[in-house]
Amino acid sequence: MSKVIVTGHGGYASAMQRNLGMLVGDVEGFYFVDFDEGDSLEILQNRLNLVLAQIADAQVLFACDLAGGSPFRTAAVICSAHPDWAVVAGINTAAYSEISFHLEMSAYELAELARDVTLQSILIYPPKE
């Protein structure tokens, strides 16, 4: 069973936790780690390590707010030592909701599902012909 660590800048993880709580309730297997203004990379790493210590035997998917930022880079470094783990960035609420129902999938499969759901759920209204 995979675990998901949501992380990002400026309260992103906490906001997503509240958002998911409204839509699907408390999600077992999800963990939320903020990278706040004024935090160092060491603080972020320590917060992530505390979560990782709780889920030592699971595959992990890191879900980050955006590619290339400090949370993403930190997660990527961690994943480089764990071939069964993955990082995904830029996914939306629809993707978080969907992956919450599929934690039996591998971390990489969850990342692919999150990407696909995000792409499929983008909508422009009104549609132009």
Side-chain angles (χ1 to χ4, degrees):
M1 178 170 234
S2 294
K3 306 292 184 183
V4 177
I5 299 175
V6 179
T7 186
H9 298 83
Y12 174 83
S14 295
M16 190 52 63
Q17 183 177 21
R18 289 190 306 277
N19 185 290
L20 282 172
M22 289 180 68
L23 296 171
V24 298
D26 288 334
V27 183
E28 198 168 311
F30 271 61
Y31 302 83
F32 302 88
V33 177
D34 286 321
F35 181 57
D36 295 316
E37 187 175 348
D39 285 350
S40 66
L41 290 177
E42 183 179 352
I43 289 171
L44 175 60
Q45 182 72 54
N46 288 339
R47 288 179 184 152
L48 292 172
N49 286 340
L50 287 173
V51 172
L52 291 170
Q54 297 174 41
I55 57 176
D57 294 331
Q59 285 193 32
V60 176
L61 172 65
F62 289 92
C64 303
D65 57 347
L66 64 119
S70 295
F72 180 88
R73 290 191 324 267
T74 303
V77 168
I78 293 169
C79 283
S80 68
H82 301 275
D84 293 334
W85 295 9
V87 184
V88 66
I91 65 173
N92 64 16
T93 301
Y96 281 111
S97 298
E98 187 67 26
I99 66 175
S100 75
F101 297 111
H102 295 284
L103 294 179
E104 76 283 353
M105 297 171 81
S106 74
Y108 194 82
E109 290 170 327
L110 286 175
E112 291 179 317
L113 177 62
R115 178 205 54 214
D116 294 346
V117 170
T118 296
L119 292 172
Q120 293 167 4
S121 66
I122 296 170
L123 171 74
I124 298 173
Y125 186 87
K128 300 284 184 187
E129 293 189 35

